[in-house]
Amino acid sequence: MTRSVAFLSRLLETGVDVRFADLPAIEGTTGRFLLHQMVSVAELEAGMISTRTKAALAAAKARGRTLGGARVRKSNGQRVVISRKAQKSGAAANHKRAIDRAADLAPTIAAIRNDGAITLRDIAAGLEAAGIATPRGQGKWSPTQVKRAMEALKAAE
């Protein structure tokens, strides 16, 4: 369920009734104590795994091992190598596309703000109401997406 004692404590403080399929009903003070102990051990284990993994990756890197998996083209199974130049070119193209998209949205965002939208959440709701697709064309507008669009607008100026 969680490896965070803090999260579990907040959850239990709300009065949520916790049941486990593989344990008998643990209720009351004893149940809460047992649950806290189990989560504490899980949190410790997660920290130990993280430390061991970081140490192993650092050791492999020190031995000259290249980290990360190979990219393989699905169509023919051939390995794909993307040069640094191609990566930079792709990033630049993505940045330009974001700026262009933000410039297209600028009049709509201005109109939404003129109608009284103050917060990023208000602007996101206005974009939703106007039927404007998100940058990826999926889901609903979030305040973070609006913030990024507005930052791209500033970059365009």
Side-chain angles (χ1 to χ4, degrees), residues 17 33 43 65 80 94 122 151:
D17 187 26
F33 173 77
E43 187 176 54
R65 181 91 193 258
V80 176
N94 287 341
D122 292 341
E151 287 171 351

Side-chain angles (χ1 to χ4, degrees), residues 90-101:
N94 287 341
H95 183 68
K96 183 181 180 332
R97 192 168 43 249
I99 289 173
D100 292 345
R101 168 78 175 181

Side-chain angles (χ1 to χ4, degrees), residues 95 97-106 109 120 123 127 132-135 141-157:
H95 183 68
R97 192 168 43 249
I99 289 173
D100 292 345
R101 168 78 175 181
D104 289 344
L105 290 174
I109 290 175
L120 296 173
I123 297 169
L127 291 169
I132 296 174
T134 60
W141 278 91
S142 71
T144 302
Q145 290 170 314
V146 173
K147 179 181 176 200
R148 288 180 182 150
M150 294 174 85
E151 287 171 351
L153 271 175
K154 287 180 185 173
E157 294 174 350

Side-chain angles (χ1 to χ4, degrees), residues 70-128:
R71 294 177 183 224
V72 178
R73 189 174 287 118
K74 289 181 181 179
S75 61
N76 61 8
Q78 296 295 315
R79 185 181 174 129
V80 176
V81 179
I82 302 172
S83 69
R84 201 72 169 138
K85 182 179 176 185
Q87 289 175 2
K88 287 185 177 183
S89 175
N94 287 341
H95 183 68
K96 183 181 180 332
R97 192 168 43 249
I99 289 173
D100 292 345
R101 168 78 175 181
D104 289 344
L105 290 174
T108 307
I109 290 175
I112 292 169
R113 291 177 101 180
N114 288 338
D115 288 341
I118 298 171
T119 66
L120 296 173
R121 187 173 306 280
D122 292 341
I123 297 169
L127 291 169
E128 281 290 319

